[in-house]
Amino acid sequence: CSSCAVLCRGMQASKTEDRRKAEPFYWLSATKPRTSSEIVNEARHALRTVKTQRPFTPKDEQRKLFGSQSSRYSPSVFSFNTSSSESSESRPHSGVHLSPLAHKPILIISEKKNEASSVFLPTPPVDAAEVRKVSSAWKGLFRTTSPKDLFSDEVKLDFEAPTMMMNNLDRSNNTCLAEQKLYTSFNDESRQLICNEHTSRSGSGDSMERTPRKFSLQLQGESDQMKEPGEKSSQSRTSGQKRKGLKDETRINEWEEEDFFWHTKILPILHELEKREDNIEHLCLACTKLYQALDEGNMLGKRFKRRNVLLKTLYKLVDIDSDPLSLKLAEIILAMKVDGKNLLSVCKLAFKICRNKKNDFIVQNDTLLDYLLQVLWNEDLQTNNEALVYCMAAIKFMSEKDRLLYKLVSKGAVEMFLELMKQINNIKEHDRYFYKLGHLLVQLTATLRILADCALARRRLSDSAAIPELCVALEQRSSDKDVCICIVRVLSKLSTYNDFCAALADCSRCYILFLALLNKYQKQQDLVVRIIFILGNLTAKNNQSREQFFQEKESVNTLISLFQTYYELDLNAPTWHHDRQGEKHLKYPSEAEDVLIKLMRVLANLSIHPRVGTALAAAHPVVGLLVTVLEYKSVDACEELVINAATAINNLSYYQVEDSAVQNKKLHIAEMLLKLLMSDSMDAVVEAVRVFGNLSQHHEIRDFIMQKKIYKFMIALLDSKNQEVCFPACGVLLNLTVDENKRAFLMEEGGIGKLVDCLQDFGPADWQLSCLICKTLWNCSESMTSATSCFGGDTDTLLVLLTALLDEEVELECSLDRDTKDCQRVYWEREFKPVAEKLLDRIQSHHSSS
């Protein structure tokens, strides 16, 4: 039929397009972030060149915490002479013709972008030249004197990263290993090794250990149950003595068996170690054999009576400058379950090995991680807090390897870390260990930040209620800048996911806490930018979050204060910077710009809430700072910042309030928007058109658009064949047709034909845009005498097109899935159909008479 022929082009386009629900949101275009490896390499370089008090996050001059992409927003529905089909969010209008269009506020939603994956990197080890070589280490290998702790100096943890001081092994007997017991009872559970499977924590703290193989020693003798009742009382006096005798006899047998095993299996390996002193590979092989022999003889743990002799020998080998050998030694020492200073020393050794990227392969293919997790799980938090810092730092570096990351998660490390955090949070500020444990918390949260990139780890974090615990730690440690930075790094990553964002919004004090930190650390850019990013994610999700933040005391004033601070910093910031090779590059965005970008996003998202948006629209300081951005920053200099500011202005311009600051500055804003229209950025152009769509409700702006020939630009945009571009452009044209003396331009510039083309192109695929087109054509035809004089050669096409689009079968045929079908039917019935029917009646009545 003729209707189908006319609709052919539009129908094919609509059936092939990916159709979705219209949303009052706008996504900004994302810029490409640096890769994690580039950021980590920079962090490594910083470690080699700069010594810091406490490990800090490396400066990321290209930080992009959120991105965006174009999305759709709904226009306000305009009332008509007949039944109104307005949605609950629309503002009613009245009049003979359709009234000016008001674009609804637009939401800026962050994409999930990888934040810099660099972690807090402790300072590097001492120069290798200072470490004893193999030859010097072997001079006293089998002396009876004990080695001093691995490190000659006491470790300083106050604002200092874990460091390795591997020189000077004291051989005095006065500072031998902390474990002085030669043996303990045979059933000592500390003899067990780490289990490779994930196990849960028990009250005894041994659930991560495996049951060792035990010697087959059967106790002979009669039990009390085998005695006659009469004999029981007479033998009870001696039963204890007999049991003691059997126990002593068993222990003697154990010692004899241990002595035999020591001389036949262990000592030969120690002699082999001595003979292979010039070959690291052979030393490593001998250590492997030693571990296997100790495991076979059930000599791992604390009950081995020659344990001290063995440990002294192992610590002498630490002098040899070889990380593969040190790794073998660390595993054996940890398996011997050392404590005190010896535990601290071996944790430092593990940290030294793990932070060296050259050791990635040997670390991933060994069992060090199992032993470190056992230390973290079993050791007392307060007594061994310093050792746990190095242990956690080593695990942090290991978690950067994908293979070990999944191993960590599968072994229940996420739950373990959160349990450890709970224990730290239970220690209050007046406790003597409170500040020391801050260093452990830094390493722990830095590791959680790495785990947050793993989907499996995120599920564990969600199941374990990580968000509330992180908020407690953040509030308790608000005076520790390093801890705060680590925690907000975790929260900034997690807040890009809906479930974590909802959990954070449920923490009632989070907004108060974030505002307090923003005021406390206003010039700490790396902390401020992440908190603002989190607030942007929170306010992007729902109205409740927007209202809660806005209602907090001084919330808006804090944002204004931050803008002023970073605006001044940006004005004085150098535009160019030199890279490591000395080449000059444009610095974009600067650190100050990065904060401002996210501030604009928060303001734009806040203004979605009707009450909040109304209040902000009347707040002259807020509108003033938005206009300032358009004045001093060009699209070429910082596109994202300018677009975010324009989005916020567009949202605020939606609200028609008394003494609106946007309305008071509307002509000045219109002048600034011209710069965006002339830019090469289509995102900037579309955002400027949206603002004009709202501002053109005022006759002064409509006159400005005609005077500056902006209407020609809007008509040209109709040829873009892009719904996101055509929609706001059509909104501006609709508002221009409110004035009768401005309607002729549509005929002169070919606007009628372009509107009909858009109706054909998008028709059933976008009933909202189709409705907007029909409203514009209705206004144009208000005073027409004949259809041809108004619509020219497009009259017949328009008649056939409207007839087909009003056919309910066409509407049903063009709907795709059920959800889309239901949504599109609502738009068709409530918005498009009432306007299209009246337009069709008007054209038919005037067409027949002509």
Side-chain angles (χ1 to χ4, degrees), residues 130 132 148-152 166-170 319:
E130 299 178 9
R132 295 192 181 100
K148 191 179 178 180
D149 181 45
L150 276 174
F151 309 94
S152 57
M166 295 289 301
N167 12 359
N168 302 331
L169 291 177
D170 189 350
D319 272 343

Side-chain angles (χ1 to χ4, degrees), residues 36 68 171 176 218 225 270 291 314 396 409 425 447 486 494 523 576 642 648 688 719 753 768 770 776:
S36 297
S68 53
R171 309 299 182 190
C176 65
Q218 297 293 330
Q225 294 178 354
L270 296 182
Y291 177 88
L314 295 177
K396 177 189 66 177
V409 178
N425 288 343
T447 308
C486 280
L494 295 179
K523 293 188 177 180
W576 300 88
V642 174
D719 285 328
Q768 285 186 295
S770 298
T776 305

Side-chain angles (χ1 to χ4, degrees), residues 380-654:
D380 181 70
L381 182 64
Q382 300 181 10
T383 305
N384 298 307
N385 66 85
E386 191 175 350
L388 292 180
V389 171
Y390 286 95
C391 178
M392 192 72 242
I395 293 174
K396 177 189 66 177
F397 282 111
M398 298 176 83
S399 67
E400 294 176 352
K401 291 81 176 174
D402 288 341
R403 177 178 175 183
L404 293 180
L405 176 63
Y406 287 99
K407 184 178 179 181
L408 266 172
V409 178
S410 65
K411 288 180 174 292
V414 173
E415 294 83 353
M416 183 192 302
F417 296 158
L418 290 177
E419 177 62 29
L420 188 60
M421 184 183 294
K422 289 179 182 178
Q423 294 180 28
I424 296 174
N425 288 343
N426 288 333
I427 297 176
K428 304 308 177 184
E429 190 171 0
H430 57 79
D431 193 287
R432 55 183 290 205
Y433 292 102
F434 180 81
Y435 293 102
K436 289 184 178 181
L437 290 174
H439 305 289
L440 177 57
L441 196 56
V442 166
Q443 301 301 326
L444 193 158
T445 51
T447 308
L448 287 178
R449 168 59 186 82
I450 300 172
L451 292 173
D453 286 322
C454 172
L456 179 59
R458 285 196 301 273
R459 286 196 291 273
R460 300 286 181 88
L461 287 169
S462 179
D463 294 341
S464 303
I467 292 294
E469 211 61 48
L470 286 166
C471 288
V472 171
L474 185 60
E475 186 166 14
Q476 289 184 352
R477 305 278 173 170
S478 60
S479 297
D480 190 329
K481 180 179 63 179
D482 297 331
V483 173
C484 291
I485 290 176
C486 280
I487 294 177
V488 298
R489 279 173 60 83
V490 181
L491 293 176
S492 66
K493 169 57 67 176
L494 295 179
S495 67
T496 60
Y497 300 93
N498 289 337
D499 51 346
F500 288 102
C501 199
L504 185 57
D506 289 339
C507 295
S508 58
R509 289 185 55 81
C510 75
Y511 301 106
I512 299 175
L513 178 58
F514 289 145
L515 288 170
L517 292 174
L518 289 175
N519 288 313
K520 185 181 183 70
Y521 299 106
Q522 189 169 101
K523 293 188 177 180
Q524 191 67 40
Q525 191 271 350
D526 51 351
L527 180 62
V528 168
V529 75
R530 288 178 172 90
I531 294 177
I532 297 298
F533 175 68
I534 295 169
L535 291 174
N537 290 339
L538 286 169
T539 55
K541 303 303 179 182
N542 56 66
N543 269 344
Q544 183 178 359
S545 294
R546 297 167 194 139
E547 188 171 29
Q548 284 180 338
F549 175 77
F550 180 76
Q551 288 178 345
E552 292 296 341
K553 185 178 180 181
E554 299 295 316
S555 58
V556 175
N557 288 339
T558 298
L559 298 182
I560 294 174
S561 177
L562 285 172
F563 175 84
Q564 293 170 342
T565 297
Y566 286 91
Y567 166 67
E568 294 174 2
L569 289 173
D570 187 45
L571 289 177
N572 300 322
T575 306
W576 300 88
H577 79 286
H578 294 81
D579 61 15
R580 297 173 187 173
Q581 290 73 34
E583 297 181 5
K584 196 175 183 180
H585 297 281
L586 182 64
K587 193 174 184 179
Y588 171 78
S590 68
E591 290 184 349
E593 285 175 332
D594 206 4
V595 175
L596 295 175
I597 287 170
K598 291 159 183 60
L599 269 175
M600 297 300 102
R601 175 179 171 239
V602 172
L603 289 173
N605 289 345
L606 284 174
S607 59
I608 299 297
H609 192 286
R611 289 192 295 275
V612 176
T614 300
L616 292 177
H620 289 261
V622 173
V623 176
L625 65 86
L626 295 174
V627 174
T628 299
V629 172
L630 298 183
E631 291 173 339
Y632 94 98
K633 190 68 68 173
S634 67
V635 176
D636 293 336
C638 190
E639 178 182 9
E640 193 174 3
L641 174 58
V642 174
I643 291 176
N644 283 5
T647 301
I649 290 175
N650 174 59
N651 290 351
L652 295 178
S653 65
Y654 172 77

Side-chain angles (χ1 to χ4, degrees), residues 260-374:
F260 177 78
F261 195 87
W262 168 264
H263 287 93
T264 58
K265 293 294 184 72
I266 305 300
L267 275 181
I269 298 176
L270 296 182
H271 289 304
E272 184 181 350
L273 285 170
E274 186 175 21
K275 294 176 183 178
R276 310 267 187 192
E277 62 182 54
D278 295 327
N279 191 315
I280 297 297
E281 184 177 351
H282 289 167
L283 288 174
C284 291
L285 181 59
C287 285
T288 301
K289 291 167 60 179
L290 176 61
Y291 177 88
Q292 292 172 348
L294 291 169
D295 188 25
E296 180 185 352
N298 212 15
M299 293 179 175
L300 296 174
K302 293 188 176 184
R303 62 185 35 62
F304 175 35
K305 72 176 183 178
R306 289 184 175 87
R307 181 169 175 270
N308 277 5
V309 177
L310 177 63
L311 287 173
K312 290 174 185 178
T313 302
L314 295 177
Y315 273 118
K316 291 174 184 177
L317 291 174
V318 174
D319 272 343
I320 300 174
D321 186 18
S322 168
D323 283 349
L325 177 59
S326 295
L327 177 62
K328 299 293 183 183
L329 294 172
E331 290 176 347
I332 298 175
I333 295 170
L334 287 170
M336 299 304 293
K337 301 192 182 304
V338 296
D339 53 24
K341 290 184 178 180
N342 295 319
L343 178 62
L344 174 60
S345 297
V346 73
C347 287
K348 288 179 179 179
L349 182 61
F351 166 73
K352 168 186 174 289
I353 297 167
C354 293
R355 74 169 175 182
N356 188 344
K357 195 170 182 61
K358 295 179 181 178
N359 296 328
D360 283 358
F361 178 77
I362 64 172
V363 169
Q364 291 185 69
N365 290 276
D366 227 303
T367 58
L368 180 62
L369 178 60
D370 293 328
Y371 288 105
L372 292 176
L373 287 175
Q374 184 182 15

Side-chain angles (χ1 to χ4, degrees), residues 764-804:
D766 193 335
W767 293 117
Q768 285 186 295
L769 177 56
S770 298
C771 176
L772 213 58
I773 295 171
C774 290
K775 288 179 179 180
T776 305
L777 295 175
W778 170 267
N779 283 355
C780 287
S781 63
E782 181 182 5
S783 303
M784 70 177 183
T785 55
S786 68
T788 304
S789 64
C790 181
F791 302 114
D794 296 300
T795 303
D796 292 336
T797 301
L798 186 57
L799 281 170
V800 176
L801 189 58
L802 289 173
T803 301

